[in-house]
Amino acid sequence: STAQLSEPLLLGHLSGNHFTILLRGVDESTTPATISKAVRSLKEAGFINYFGLQRFGGGCNPTHKVGIQLLAGNIRKAVEMILEPLDPSL
């Protein structure tokens, strides 16, 4: 359902969002301890959501260009693009 609100949404107001996490590269040699360590890391540190303007705003590099690098497997280039300052003199 939708509704017009008199107050702006604040951090935490959208607590109904739920996600399914898919683990890749897990095979019979992956130990339960390794999986538990990865899950603990996600719980404690979270992760960067690489998709969408709401995550990056209007940075130097449009998100579709970052996405192209991710799809091409150029992870380092994508991260460099994300972290590039708006003003190159910074």
Side-chain angles (χ1 to χ4, degrees):
S1 69
T2 62
Q4 180 82 25
L5 300 176
S6 60
E7 305 278 327
L9 287 175
L10 300 174
L11 184 62
H13 284 178
L14 299 178
S15 61
N17 289 343
H18 297 279
F19 302 91
T20 299
I21 298 173
L22 173 67
L23 299 177
R24 296 177 194 254
V26 177
D27 60 26
E28 58 276 349
S29 67
T30 305
T31 65
T34 300
I35 295 171
S36 292
K37 182 178 175 184
V39 170
R40 260 193 322 279
S41 173
L42 279 173
K43 285 181 179 179
E44 293 170 5
F47 66 98
I48 297 174
N49 183 347
Y50 292 102
F51 304 99
L53 281 176
Q54 75 273 22
R55 303 296 182 242
F56 296 117
C60 287
N61 296 294
T63 55
H64 72 280
K65 290 185 178 181
V66 174
I68 289 169
Q69 295 302 318
L70 289 171
L71 291 172
N74 301 325
I75 306 303
R76 180 179 296 275
K77 177 64 178 169
V79 170
E80 288 171 355
M81 291 172 73
I82 292 166
L83 297 177
E84 187 176 328
L86 290 175
D87 182 349
S89 67
L90 295 177

